[in-house]
Amino acid sequence: MKIGVFVCHCGSNIEATVDTAAVAAASREFPDVVFATDTMYTCSEPGQDEIVAAIKEHNLGGVVVASCTPRMHEQTFRRTVERAGLNRYLFEMANIREHVSWIGKDRESNTNKSVDLVRMATEKLMRNRPLYSKKFDINKRVLVIGGGVAGIQAALDCADGGLEVVMVEKAPTIGGKMAKLDKTFPTVDCSSCILGPRMVDVAQHPNITLYAYSEIEEINGYVGNFEIKVKKKATYVDWDSCTGCGICMEKCPSKKATDTFNEGIGKTTAINIPFPQAIPKKAKIDPDFCTKIQKGKCGVCAKLCPSGCINYEMQDEFVTEKVGAIVTATGFDLFDWSIYGEYGAGRYPDVITSLQYERMLSASGPTGGHIKRPSDGKEPKNVVFIQCVGSRDKSVGRPYCSGFCCMYTAKQAILTKDHLPDSQSYVFYMDIRAIGKLYDEFTRRAMEEYDTKYIRGRVSMIYPQGDRLLVRGADTLMGAQVEVDADLVVLAVGAEAAAGAGELAEKLRISYDSYGFYMEGHPKLKPVETNTAGVYLAGACQGPKDIPSSVGQGSAAAAKVLGLFSKDQLESDPQVSVVDIKRCIGCGKCIQTCPFGAIKEMEFRGMAKADVIETICQGCGICTSTCPQGAVQLQHFTDNQILSEVNALCRF
Amino acid sequence: MKVININLSYNSDFVSQVEEESGQKLNLCYQCGKCTAGCPYTAEYDISVSQIMRLTQTGQKDKVLQSKSLWLCATCESCTARCPNKIDVARIMDVLRHMARREGYTGIRTVKTFWDSFLNSVRSNGRVFEVGLLANYISHTGRFWTDIGLGPKILPKGKIHFKPVEMKGKKEVTKIFMRFKQESAK
Amino acid sequence: MNKPLNYAYYPGCSSTGTSLEYDMSSRAVCAALDINLTDVPDWSCCGSTPAHTVDHSLSSALSARNLDQVASMGLDSCVSPCPSCLANLKTAKHRMEDAGFRDKVNNLLDKPADTRVETKSVLQILVEDYGIENIRKKVVKPLTGLVVGAYYGCILNRPAELMQFDDLEHPMAMDNIMEALGATVVPFPLKVECCGASFGIPRKDVVMRLSGKLLDTAHGIGAMALVTACPLCQMNLDMRQNQINKANGSKHTMPIFYFTQLMGLALGLPEKELGIGKLCVSPRNVLDAIDANLKEKAA
C-alpha cells in the first residue's frame, strides 16, 4: 500500500510544541510511506484539497492525518479520501493535539511521541481493508421522554411534521415546571395561558400517544429501531373511563395527602387531579394516604364515581413501544436547600422556595393567588428574596450558575408589588445575570419602577425575632453588614439534575456530567445530539435553561429527528464484529457477554456457531476479548491491527 | 479619596506569604460578603472582613496590616463555617494578625496588652493566674477601674485566688516561650 | 453501660477560678454516671486565644505538651469541659499531622510530643459515648416546668472539619439533654452566635453588645434560664449580666447554668457539689419553681 502522511500544525496549537516538519521527515522513512508533509490547517479546504491531490499524484492507497482527536475530524477526512476515490476506512488518524501538544511542553519529547503515534497509525493502515456499510429500514416513530415545555415542543413539532410520537411523562400530568409558574419573564405573560393550549394540543394531536404517570423501564435496540418498555404506574383509576369530573376529589375524606403539584403549600386529597388544567385530566389515588388501600375501610370514591372507574386492586402495567429515535426532555429538579442550617434548614415556615411562591402567586394555586405567610396566613409587608441558594456555592457542591434565578426573582418582586401595593421587596444578589433579549431591561424595571431594593451580598443568617424573621446579610457595595426585618423570605433555589437522571442515562446509554446533567455531543456544535446515535436532548436535562431556550432546544431536537427520518433507510456502521465460522466452536460465551444481545446462535452443517446481527452490534469489542478461539474479530480493530500498533510502539 | 494604582500597589510577596502561612488560596474569594454578613464583630471593625479579604487579594499590605479589625476578630469561625468557597477566613485573619505583630503594629492597644498579659501569666505560671493577669494588664494600660465592680460579687464565691496555683512543670512552659522567642528572632 | 468509660481529664485554667462550678459539676455528674475521669497530672495552659493570635507553632506547642501527657497516661482520649481548650488541643493534633509543622512545634518542646490522642468535650462524651437515653434513665428529679434555652457558643462545633460534633448551625446536644431531664426547651435562635469571647476586659463594649443581644433574645423567646457549655460564654452572660444591664438599660435577671449543673440537679446531686451557689445571677427563683412544680405533681 502506498501511504501518504499529513502532519497538521493546527495553527500554533500543535506547531508551538511539536516540530511537525520533523515528524513528516521521520514518517518518510516508514515502510510504505511514499509521501509526507506538514500543513497549516489540514481540515481547511486547501488542506483537504492537498490530500486529494496527493492521492491522485502519488497513487496513494491510504492516508494518515496526524492532527486532533478523531472525534473532531475523523468524519471530515474520511469524506476527503472518499472524494479521491479511496474507501473511507483506508484512513487513520494520529492524535497529536489532545494527546501530545496540549498536554506536554517539551518540544523534543512531543516531537518524538508524535513520530511514534504516526508510526502506529501507518502500521495499522497497512492492515486496513475496505469496509462497506449496509442499509437497514427504520421505524419512523419517536419517543419523547418528559412532558415539560421542552418535551411538548419537540413532540408537537415532530407530530406536525407527520411523525408518530410517543410521550412518556413521570408525573400524572404534563406541563412540567412551567405549568406551576404563575407568570413568565420578561413579558409577564400568564404561564398557563401560553402553555395550556400546547398541553391540549398534545392531548388532541392524532399523531401523539401520551403515557402520563409512566416511566421508562427498559430501552433496547439502536438508532432507527429502538424497543421501549414503558411502566404505567398504578393510578387505581381506570383512565379510559375517568371523565375528570372531580366528584371523587370533592368527597374524599382523606385530606392530608402531599400536594406535589403545589410544592407542598397546602395539602390535597388522597384521590386527586393535580390541577384544573391537567393533561390528562384524570384522577389518581395516592396509596400512602388512601384509607381504603391502607386500612381497607372507606371506599367513598368508588361509591360516588359516576363512571365506576375506581379500582383499588390496580397493579403497574407494562407496554412496549417501537420507535426509531428518542428525545430526552426530563428537565430539572430544585436543589434541596435544607442543607443550609443558616437559613433555618426548613425550621421556619415563612422561609419558602421560589417555586412554592409561584404556587402562592397563581390564581389556581392553594391560596387562590393571595400572598399569605404559611405560619399565620397574614399578608407580608417586607418580602426578602435570596438569590444563589444552591447555585454558585462550592461548599454544597453546586458551583454552577442556575441561569434563570435572577430573572424569576425580578419577576416575583414585580408580582409581589402588583399583588400587595404596600409591600416592599428586597433582593440579596451576587451578580445580576440577565443576558437574554429584554432581560436586563426587565431587572432594571424591577428596581426603577417597582422600587425593589437590590442588595449586593449574600445572606449569612435567618432567624425568628418575634413573629418576623431577621435576615442578616451584607451590602458589599456599602461595605456593611445589613439586617432586614422580613415577613416572608423566598429562596431562589437553584436547579439540579432531575431525580433519577443517572438511571435513565444508563438505560439510554448516554453520558452525564458530574452533576447529573446529560452531555451533549459537542458543547458548541452538537448541542442537542448525544454520543448515542438517535438519542437527542431538549431542555434543562442538559443543563439549567429558561423557557425560551428549552423551547428552542425542543424544536432543534425535533428538527434533528425529522432530518434523521428524511431517509427511509440508515447505513449501518461496518465497524462490527464478524465470526470466522471455521474457528468458532459454538461455546456461546460471546452470546452471554454481549451487552446488546447482538449475537445469536445459528446452525452450520449441524454444528452450533455464533452469528452477529450487524445492525445491533455496537462494536464494543467485548466478544472479541471473550472468545477463547479468537474467532470473533471486530472489523477495523482486529487483533492483527492492534498488535501491529503495539509492535510499532514497542520496537526495542 | 486616594486613587490606587492596582498594579503598582500590588504586593505579591505579601499575597504569597498570606497564602503560604494560611494554606488558603485568595483567588477563591468572589466577594459575596457572606463572611461580613455573619461576622458578629463587624460593628466594631474599621474594615469589614470581606473587604480585608479583598484588600489582601489585591496585595494592599499596609492597609490590611494597619487595620484594627485584625485585633477584634475573636476567631468565632462563623466566616469559615459559612464561606461558599470553603475558604478558612478565620485562619487568614489569624495569619494577618501574626504578620501585623511581626511588623510592629499595635492595632488596638488594650487588646494587644490583654493578650500579652495573658501569655506573660502563662509563661511565668504554666497556667493563667487571673488576678496576676489583671494586675499586669492594669499596670500596662493604667485602666485601674477595669472590672473593679465585679470584685465584691465573685470574691466571696471563692472564684478568685491571690496566689497562682503551683504546678510542677511550669519551667517547661517557660522554656517553650523562650525557645519561641529565639526562633522568632532568627 | 456495658463498657466502663475512662478518660483523661483536662480541666483548663478557668476551672481553677472563674468556672469553678463547671469543673465541680462536670466531675460530680461523671462520677454519678460511673464515668472515670483521671486528671492529666501536670497539665498546663493550652494557650487559649492569645497564643494562636501570636503564632500557630507557639499555640500548638502549649497544647502538645498536654496531649503528650495524656498519651503517657495510657489513655487514648481526653476530655475537657472548655471549648476553647478543646479547639486548641484538637487544632494542635490536626496541624501536627503535617510533618513540617510538627518539627517546628517539637523544636519548641523539651522532647517531641506524642499528639495522637483524641480530645472530646464533656458534652460530646455524655451525648455520644454515654447516650441521651441512658441519661434519661438516671433522672430522679425531673426539671419539670423549667423553660430553658440552650446556648452553645461559637467554637463548640466549628469549624466542622475539626470539631466533628453536632449540627453546625442548629446543634441539639444540650437541647436533647435538657429535654431528657424533663425541662421544656425553647429553640434558641442564636445558638452559635459569639458572646464577645475574651473581649470582656480589653473591649467591654463589645461583650455588652453581643451578650446583651443573647440575653434579649433569650428573654424574647420566654426562656427562664440559659444553659451553656463554655466558661467564657457563661462568664460573659452571668458575671457580666449587671454590667450588661447597666450598659444597655435592660433588666435581665436570667440565671445562666452550666448544663452539667442542671444535669446534676436532675440526677439528685446536692446543690453544693454542683457549685450552684457560685453563680452570680441567683437561680433561686427558678430552682424553687421547679421544686414547687415537682411537689404539685406529687400531690
Side-chain angles (χ1 to χ4, degrees), chain C residues 33-269:
Chain C
L33 300 177
D34 296 321
I35 299 171
N36 302 315
L37 304 179
T38 314
D39 280 31
V40 179
D42 193 43
W43 62 271
S44 51
C45 177
C46 69
S48 193
T49 307
H52 77 68
T53 64
V54 171
D55 186 86
H56 287 152
S57 63
L58 173 66
S59 169
S60 287
L62 292 169
S63 294
R65 182 185 175 274
N66 294 294
L67 292 174
D68 187 64
Q69 286 198 36
V70 179
S72 62
M73 291 165 77
L75 290 167
D76 52 11
S77 57
C78 172
V79 299
S80 174
C82 169
S84 178
C85 301
L86 181 73
N88 277 309
L89 296 173
K90 281 176 101 77
T91 304
K93 172 185 156 64
H94 175 70
R95 290 206 177 134
M96 285 173 74
E97 282 161 14
D98 174 84
F101 185 77
R102 187 173 60 233
D103 291 346
K104 220 169 143 190
V105 173
N106 281 335
N107 255 340
L108 303 181
L109 296 166
D110 282 0
K111 61 180 172 68
D114 180 351
T115 55
R116 286 171 301 177
V117 291
E118 287 293 339
T119 313
K120 293 177 184 178
S121 66
V122 170
L123 178 62
Q124 188 173 6
I125 61 154
L126 286 172
V127 173
E128 290 179 359
D129 298 356
Y130 193 83
I132 299 277
E133 288 319 303
N134 290 317
I135 294 173
R136 195 189 302 276
K137 283 180 212 151
K138 296 275 184 178
V139 172
V140 295
K141 203 183 131 189
L143 306 178
T144 317
L146 171 68
V147 181
V148 66
Y151 170 58
Y152 296 76
C154 51
I155 54 170
L156 195 61
N157 54 357
R158 288 199 303 224
E161 290 78 14
L162 185 69
M163 305 309 273
Q164 308 217 344
F165 174 61
D166 214 340
D167 188 89
L168 205 52
E169 297 286 346
H170 298 274
M172 289 302 289
M174 281 198 283
D175 291 64
N176 293 339
I177 291 182
M178 289 303 126
E179 183 272 328
L181 303 181
T184 305
V185 186
V186 277
F188 187 54
L190 299 177
K191 278 179 179 180
V192 293
E193 190 79 345
C194 189
C195 66
S198 62
F199 288 113
I201 290 171
R203 280 293 299 266
K204 196 183 291 171
D205 57 315
V206 179
V207 175
M208 301 298 102
R209 184 174 65 82
L210 292 174
S211 285
K213 192 165 159 187
L214 296 173
L215 289 169
D216 294 345
T217 304
H219 183 79
I221 58 168
M224 292 155 68
L226 278 181
V227 332
T228 64
C230 170
L232 208 48
C233 300
Q234 197 277 346
M235 186 169 79
N236 282 336
L237 292 166
D238 179 46
M239 197 173 84
R240 297 191 186 279
Q241 200 170 108
N242 265 344
Q243 293 177 340
I244 291 167
N245 283 337
K246 222 174 274 171
N248 301 354
S250 54
K251 288 187 176 136
H252 297 298
T253 54
M254 181 164 304
I256 312 294
F257 294 101
Y258 287 105
F259 78 99
T260 41
Q261 291 181 302
L262 288 179
M263 271 186 80
L265 289 175
L267 298 177
L269 304 178

Side-chain angles (χ1 to χ4, degrees), chain A residues 340 342-343 391-396 429-430 456-461 472-474 476-482, chain B residues 27-28 30-43 47-48 50-51 78 81-86:
Chain A
Y340 287 103
E342 60 267 50
Y343 299 160
S391 297
R392 303 178 68 195
D393 188 340
K394 286 185 189 147
S395 70
V396 299
Y429 73 102
M430 288 209 291
R456 201 230 166 251
R458 271 199 189 267
V459 167
S460 177
M461 274 180 97
R472 196 207 279 174
T476 60
L477 302 180
M478 222 197 292
Q481 189 181 82
V482 293
Chain B
N27 280 347
L28 288 178
Y30 60 20
Q31 285 294 306
C32 69
K34 201 172 181 185
C35 48
T36 293
C39 176
Y41 294 88
T42 303
I47 302 176
S48 71
S50 53
Q51 287 179 324
S78 70
R82 294 175 187 151
C83 176
N85 295 310
K86 299 205 265 186

